[in-house]
Amino acid sequence: QVQLQESGPGLVKPSQTLSLTCTVTGGSITTSYYHWIWIRQTPGKGLEWMGAIVYINYAGSTYYSPALKNRTSITGDTSNNQITLHLSSVTPEDTAMYYCAREYPGQLWYWGQGTQVTVSS
């Protein structure tokens, strides 16, 4: 069974870069056509799609939310089967639960358990 596990700091100071890693087991991140996504949840905004990476023939392509594109970078580490999210210049508005997930049209999503990130000085 595919499992996803988020890891990273629970507390980040304003203006710093948040880096979160999603470790995938039970499947390869390079499997073609599966989207590996980052999504976050806040009481005010609900679930917010941040971006995704998809591999086709071992070549990865990334996509980002227009609202976050200038601050967001998603990279894949194929040797460790990990997806990493970088969110720069964070503010308290970035405080949220962060999830990684695997999505594909018509199929059940696989989710990590999520990790709480608080941006505070």
Side-chain angles (χ1 to χ4, degrees):
Q1 299 292 329
V2 175
Q3 293 185 325
L4 296 80
Q5 177 69 57
E6 301 92 341
S7 62
L11 179 64
V12 184
K13 294 182 178 181
S15 80
Q16 293 185 335
T17 295
L18 168 66
S19 296
L20 298 174
T21 296
C22 177
T23 300
V24 178
T25 58
S28 174
I29 64 170
T30 61
T31 299
S32 294
Y33 305 114
Y34 283 107
H35 287 73
W36 305 92
I37 73 169
W38 283 97
I39 189 168
R40 65 183 183 180
Q41 182 179 33
T42 62
K45 298 180 180 179
L47 292 173
E48 180 183 16
W49 182 85
M50 302 182 69
I53 185 169
V54 58
Y55 285 88
I56 300 177
N57 296 325
Y58 299 99
S61 298
T62 53
Y63 306 89
Y64 302 103
S65 167
L68 299 170
K69 186 174 184 178
N70 291 339
R71 299 193 293 129
T72 305
S73 177
I74 296 174
T75 59
D77 181 348
T78 58
S79 63
N80 292 306
N81 215 39
Q82 295 177 325
I83 305 296
T84 299
L85 168 73
H86 301 282
L87 183 65
S88 65
S89 303
V90 299
T91 73
E93 295 294 323
D94 295 310
T95 295
M97 283 287 296
Y98 286 77
Y99 299 89
C100 61
R102 191 191 80 179
E103 62 176 335
Y104 191 85
Q107 296 188 9
L108 182 70
W109 288 25
Y110 290 87
W111 295 75
Q113 83 287 349
T115 184
Q116 175 67 41
V117 177
T118 299
V119 180
S120 176
S121 60

